[in-house]
Amino acid sequence: MIYTRIAGTGSYLPEKVVTNADLEKTMDTSDEWIRERTGINKRHIAAEGETCSDMGIAAATKAIGMAGIEVTDIDLIIVGTTTPDKVFPSTACIVQRKLGIHGCPAFDVQAACSGFVYALDLANRMIQTAGATTALIIGSEALSRVTNWQDRTTAVLFGDGAGAVILQASKEPGILATHIHSDGQYADLLEVPAGISSGYDAVRAEEAYIHMNGNAVFRRAVATLGSIARETLDGHGFNKSDIDWLVPHQANLRIIKAAAKKLDLSMDNVVVTVDEHANTSAASIPLALDTAVRDGRIQRGQLLLFEAFGAGFTWGSTLVRY
Ligand code: ACO
């Protein structure tokens, strides 16, 4: 049996920090409202000209270092992003060029906030059945570029950053289960309506920013994360009590607490970074993972559950023996 093992993690946050107090100065909001409703204290914002691939490379370099591999060992690159550098080529190909890798498959996955768990699912399949041995998986987002900084209902929620993992084929257990889903009937509830085939003109108008029905997204996220946890554990012979760490998508502390409750998990067993990073979409799980690996909370041999939910709606989970 070939398993997919996490050999290294890395992350990157842009230097610029915008606190809730900073936002109070530019829009009708308050630190108290933001913290109470979301748990967010601050977010990092990409510098002018800093792209998803730049942030992804910074995170990847740390993951490569932790894994102790050579860049030339990498034979698969997948980037989860909803804010790519360019329409094309993919951000994964731009990462590939910047790293000086030639020939291996490199592509992006657009599954919004679920992009990282979608990418893990695909990489796991390619390692188990298609001969890939060493995969670089990145979640990277510059959400500040699609944030309407005049809209208090969305602007307070998002941030920029990147996380990365190196996955290796191994005889030792690693990824034990992955589940990915989507249901496009909810596409209108959370979107950046501007697109390419729907017309470049829209890109210059207000459609180029995040539009969201926050209440509906919240309700659906909580219900869905409960069902994905059951599907992941029940289907693979694990109990809630087997989980050492829940590493959820970091959208909102209230959603995270509800997900933990459904798993009967104490918040002491949940990695929370939304307070420091805000919602970084596809980057949020690898950012949280790297934080808890590097500060020593997550240890080799522990059982980790990643859970994600995002626009589409898309959702998914990964159960990993770290
Ligand atoms: N500051 C102050 N007041 C605000 C702000 C703000 N930033 N934003 C909204 N308000 C006001 C509203 O206008 C409203 O005022 P009113 O009662 O006078 O009409 C009031 O606060 C309450 O608004 P609600 O939208 O009902 O507040 P709610 O408790 O639902 O919280 C929130 C809003 C935080 C967006 C919540 O719905 C949420 O977290 N939803 C999930 C959205 C999400 O996480 N999306 C990310 C992408 S999907 C994902 O990653 C899971």
Side-chain angles (χ1 to χ4, degrees):
M1 172 87 183
I2 301 173
Y3 288 102
T4 301
R5 192 173 153 271
I6 297 177
T9 64
S11 60
Y12 169 81
L13 289 161
E15 208 177 304
K16 183 178 174 188
V17 171
V18 173
T19 63
N20 294 347
D22 293 329
L23 291 178
E24 279 179 355
K25 292 176 200 148
T26 57
M27 65 181 70
D28 180 16
T29 190
S30 69
D31 175 51
E32 191 189 1
W33 191 97
I34 300 170
R35 277 192 290 107
E36 251 176 35
R37 306 283 176 131
T38 70
I40 296 167
N41 299 325
K42 59 181 188 170
R43 67 287 295 145
H44 291 250
I45 302 296
E48 207 180 322
E50 190 172 37
T51 63
C52 255
S53 66
D54 295 331
M55 294 189 284
I57 292 274
T61 304
K62 292 185 187 155
I64 290 165
M66 187 190 285
I69 60 155
E70 299 296 325
V71 162
T72 47
D73 295 332
I74 294 168
D75 54 12
L76 171 65
I77 302 171
I78 309 179
V79 177
T81 185
T82 191
T83 49
D85 289 23
K86 301 180 179 187
V87 175
F88 60 79
S90 68
T91 302
C93 283
I94 297 170
V95 165
Q96 186 182 35
R97 179 176 68 176
K98 288 181 177 173
L99 287 176
I101 302 171
H102 306 277
C104 75
F107 57 93
D108 290 356
V109 172
Q110 212 292 33
C113 301
S114 308
F116 183 72
V117 293
Y118 265 62
L120 286 185
D121 179 279
L122 290 170
N124 184 44
R125 290 172 202 275
M126 292 179 78
I127 284 174
Q128 291 193 316
T129 63
T133 64
T134 309
L136 168 60
I137 309 303
I138 296 172
S140 185
E141 299 282 12
L143 289 170
S144 59
R145 312 282 196 238
V146 287
T147 298
N148 177 352
W149 292 101
Q150 263 72 58
D151 176 8
R152 67 177 184 171
T153 66
T154 54
V156 302
L157 302 175
F158 299 100
D160 300 337
V165 294
I166 294 293
L167 301 177
Q168 278 184 317
S170 170
K171 290 190 179 125
E172 300 298 317
I175 292 178
L176 301 170
T178 60
H179 293 270
I180 54 173
H181 299 278
S182 54
D183 190 340
Q185 75 166 302
Y186 300 107
D188 297 345
L189 294 179
L190 176 56
E191 61 175 348
V192 176
I196 302 307
S197 57
S198 50
Y200 273 112
D201 283 353
V203 176
R204 288 189 286 273
E206 75 152 34
E207 280 73 33
Y209 301 111
I210 297 166
H211 292 233
M212 179 179 71
N213 179 333
N215 285 298
V217 173
F218 187 95
R219 282 196 303 276
R220 205 67 222 168
V222 170
T224 306
L225 291 173
S227 66
I228 188 94
R230 278 195 301 280
E231 176 185 35
T232 311
L233 295 173
D234 296 351
H236 301 277
F238 287 95
N239 298 312
K240 294 173 181 175
S241 57
D242 294 325
I243 297 170
D244 293 299
W245 290 103
L246 174 64
V247 188
H249 168 49
Q250 309 283 322
N252 179 312
L253 187 58
R254 290 188 295 151
I255 296 177
I256 294 173
K257 283 185 173 168
K261 200 170 168 202
K262 292 201 170 176
L263 284 163
D264 298 330
L265 268 185
S266 150
M267 285 303 286
D268 292 342
N269 297 94
V270 182
V271 180
V272 175
T273 51
V274 68
D275 50 340
E276 300 284 301
H277 304 165
N279 182 346
T280 58
S281 190
S284 89
I285 291 178
L287 261 165
L289 173 68
D290 184 54
T291 302
V293 165
R294 285 180 190 267
D295 69 20
R297 275 177 289 170
I298 292 181
Q299 298 284 326
R300 284 284 172 203
Q302 291 185 326
L303 191 68
L304 317 181
L305 178 63
F306 306 156
E307 282 184 345
F309 181 87
F313 289 139
T314 57
W315 64 100
S317 66
T318 319
L319 190 66
V320 194
R321 183 70 66 193
Y322 179 66

